[in-house]
Amino acid sequence: EITSLLSLYGGQFSSEQEIRVNSPFWILNISSEDMARGLMKRTVCAKSIFELWGHGRTAGELYASLKNYPMDKMFPYLQSDSTYKIRIHTFNKTLTQAQKIQKIDALEFLPFKGKVNLKNPEHIFWILEDYGMDPNNVPEEPFHLYFGRWVHGQRELIESYSVKKRHFIGNTSMDACLSFIMANHGRVKPNDLVYDPFVGTGGLLISSAHFGAYVCGSDIDYNTIHGLGKATRKNQKWRGPDENIRANLRQYGLEKYYVDALVSDSSRPIWRKGMLFDAIITDPPYGIREATRRTASQKETVKSAERSAENHIFVSSSYHLSDIFFDLLKFAAEYLVMGGRLVYWLPIYRPEYTEEIIPRHPCLKLISNCEQMLSSHTSRRLITMEKVKEFKDQDQNSYLLDGQYLPYRGHNSFREKYFSGVTKRIAKEEKDNRK
């Protein structure tokens, strides 16, 4: 998420720090404080951002680094008419109050001229200490120490968009935190057009609309799109007259960004040819809590012309998981603008997972692959891909197998055995957990 936001706002990871994979502190090179604030207003993975005045592997290195920090950059925050306080944060270790005071007193060489104000200071400075990630093996001294001026923090975004307070929800409404992470992976920005082909109750549209993008979606389920049928919320039997996607956006003051939601089958082409969407952000159904369905073939339609009152389509058939992902990548390759991003969740069975399982397309470049653990054996990967090549007719039915792009000939030739097994194993684990 941080990497995507840096590519959107500008900036990069610092080359002067040897970043450990599991370190909770990262040093970034960002050109302005306004840019840093803009990044923090969007991220949900970072807690705070600081202007770094000094750092080191020991207290001595930290103090030497602080003494070398340019005085002209310190000066505006050390004036006699200003107020300040110093706080300490230790990761993976708890200090006594006496230890904290001792560490603060050791910074007396800094030329603070203002008054201390612990309740409402103008400037807040932090000492940050990293004691590693292993709670069973906490070192006596920190691995790294940092000192800097607090610039901005962001933790209210998730709470204000909590699914618990949302007007219209479903069985699989996406958690607010994950929705914003997905929008950030997609580098959604104001005036973008964002599409969700498996829109459901529209949870993923909300985060994109919050960032100023116009949003639309489609789903094969007529009742969900129109807010009809049985309610998901506890102690409520039927959905109310105004439980729909538009009402959710209205709840957050985002209705002006709502384009529309269509009842349609994602496996069937409904859009005019050409690049339309700046981002496609979606959570495809896995066939566990939500059924994987599509409209049936012409042969199946002729056999059964009865109309379903529940689904408002003539005939539906099963939609193999491998077909879902192939169709999704093909759609993204054709309808994303150049540089546009596809962000989606891929379920996996961890003991059998390899990177070769991830569906590929010649027009899409894999940007990131992040894991969310569901259980000891199952998880899902957040896949982010970027369009890097114009869609041509020869790319219509291409998929990657053994390092080569080959014609796609149906689900039996495209990892269907693996994905069928994933669905069954996740369903079994969910059933066992409920028991």
Side-chain angles (χ1 to χ4, degrees):
E1 186 209 41
I2 303 292
T3 304
S4 294
L5 291 176
L6 286 174
S7 68
L8 182 63
Y9 281 91
Q12 59 187 3
F13 288 99
S14 172
S15 59
E16 65 179 286
Q17 180 193 20
E18 181 186 348
I19 300 175
R20 299 193 311 280
V21 174
N22 292 322
S23 174
F25 303 107
W26 285 349
I27 300 180
L28 310 177
N29 285 331
I30 300 177
S31 60
S32 71
E33 187 171 317
D34 287 341
M35 191 179 292
R37 290 179 184 275
L39 186 149
M40 284 306 301
K41 286 178 181 178
R42 290 195 53 149
T43 178
V44 294
C45 290
K47 289 185 177 181
S48 290
I49 194 163
F50 307 86
E51 181 185 61
L52 185 64
W53 286 15
H55 66 100
R57 297 185 180 182
T58 64
E61 285 186 15
L62 171 63
Y63 303 152
S65 178
L66 286 171
K67 290 173 182 176
N68 290 328
Y69 191 71
M71 183 56 67
D72 60 316
K73 292 184 178 181
M74 287 188 184
F75 188 73
Y77 311 103
L78 306 178
Q79 297 298 305
S80 57
D81 59 348
S82 65
T83 58
Y84 74 96
K85 73 174 178 179
I86 299 176
R87 300 189 64 178
I88 295 180
H89 174 73
T90 54
F91 190 87
N92 198 30
K93 188 170 185 175
T94 302
L95 300 180
T96 65
Q97 190 62 25
Q99 289 174 315
K100 291 181 179 180
I101 292 173
Q102 182 181 2
K103 289 177 181 289
I104 292 173
D105 288 343
L107 297 173
E108 62 183 2
F109 61 87
L110 291 175
F112 287 106
K113 297 178 182 178
K115 294 181 179 180
V116 173
N117 184 333
L118 299 181
K119 290 186 177 180
N120 189 27
E122 292 179 55
H123 310 298
I124 305 174
F125 301 91
W126 285 73
I127 301 171
L128 306 169
E129 297 186 349
D130 180 8
Y131 288 87
M133 302 290 289
D134 186 358
N136 298 315
N137 186 25
V138 180
E140 284 295 321
E141 298 297 327
F143 293 118
H144 216 100
L145 301 92
Y146 309 85
F147 180 86
R149 178 178 64 89
W150 183 84
V151 174
H152 200 275
Q154 167 68 288
R155 302 304 287 173
E156 300 81 19
L157 195 60
I158 303 168
E159 182 60 29
S160 59
Y161 282 91
S162 172
V163 174
K164 295 177 182 178
K165 303 174 185 177
R166 193 165 296 168
H167 186 65
F168 178 47
I169 61 170
N171 287 328
T172 56
S173 292
M174 183 63 67
D175 173 76
C177 176
L178 295 178
S179 296
F180 281 102
I181 288 175
M182 292 177 75
N184 285 332
H185 275 241
R187 298 195 300 189
V188 174
K189 58 186 182 299
N191 299 319
D192 277 357
L193 181 61
V194 177
Y195 177 64
D196 182 353
F198 303 96
V199 71
T201 56
L204 294 178
L205 302 186
I206 293 171
S207 54
S208 295
H210 174 83
F211 295 136
Y214 293 93
V215 295
C216 56
S218 64
D219 202 286
I220 197 171
D221 193 321
Y222 179 97
N223 288 340
T224 300
I225 290 294
H226 288 278
L228 303 174
K230 292 184 178 180
T232 303
R233 209 179 299 275
K234 189 178 180 181
N235 300 325
Q236 182 182 344
K237 190 171 183 180
W238 301 100
R239 287 177 176 143
D242 193 34
E243 284 193 50
N244 51 51
I245 297 171
R246 182 187 290 274
N248 274 351
L249 289 157
R250 187 186 306 128
Q251 177 184 353
Y252 300 112
L254 303 172
E255 188 177 3
K256 66 179 179 180
Y257 296 112
Y258 181 60
V259 179
D260 209 345
L262 312 175
V263 180
S264 75
D265 177 2
S266 64
S267 69
R268 307 284 181 180
I270 63 169
W271 301 96
R272 65 173 171 82
K273 297 294 182 182
M275 297 181 287
L276 296 175
F277 305 112
D278 297 285
I280 297 171
I281 299 174
T282 191
D283 181 27
Y286 314 142
I288 300 166
R289 295 183 185 178
E290 297 289 346
T292 54
R293 295 184 294 127
R294 63 176 167 185
T295 51
S297 65
Q298 188 174 359
K299 186 185 294 185
E300 291 170 308
T301 305
V302 171
K303 288 182 179 179
S304 175
E306 295 180 4
R307 187 178 180 85
S308 166
E310 179 185 353
N311 300 322
H312 293 261
I313 57 174
F314 284 98
V315 179
S316 68
S317 63
S318 61
Y319 195 6
H320 292 279
L321 202 56
S322 57
D323 287 340
I324 289 177
F325 294 122
F326 171 76
D327 289 341
L328 178 62
L329 265 64
K330 183 174 71 172
F331 179 86
E334 185 169 2
Y335 289 100
L336 276 175
V337 300
M338 286 298 294
R341 288 193 170 187
L342 166 67
V343 184
Y344 71 96
W345 288 100
L346 179 75
I348 65 156
Y349 182 63
R350 300 183 77 237
E352 298 177 6
Y353 167 76
T354 63
E355 283 216 359
E356 286 71 28
I357 293 300
I358 300 170
R360 304 292 181 97
H361 191 279
C363 296
L364 302 172
K365 176 185 177 183
L366 181 64
I367 299 297
S368 67
N369 172 9
C370 309
E371 184 178 27
Q372 183 197 20
M373 295 281 291
L374 301 176
S375 71
S376 59
H377 291 89
T378 60
S379 66
R380 57 181 181 175
R381 319 284 302 201
L382 182 59
I383 307 298
T384 303
M385 309 185 90
E386 186 172 307
K387 185 171 179 178
V388 295
K389 176 177 174 283
E390 292 282 357
F391 185 83
K392 305 292 184 183
D393 289 340
Q394 59 265 32
D395 300 321
Q396 183 72 22
N397 293 304
S398 296
Y399 80 101
L400 186 67
L401 183 66
D402 297 330
Q404 291 185 319
Y405 284 101
L406 305 172
Y408 179 71
R409 304 187 188 282
H411 62 267
N412 289 328
S413 63
F414 190 64
R415 306 172 175 88
E416 175 55 29
K417 182 179 179 181
Y418 173 82
F419 284 119
S420 293
V422 167
T423 303
K424 291 174 183 176
R425 291 184 182 99
I426 295 177
K428 182 179 184 301
E429 289 213 7
E430 284 212 347
K431 184 178 180 181
D432 293 342
N433 290 338
R434 284 196 296 270
K435 286 181 181 178

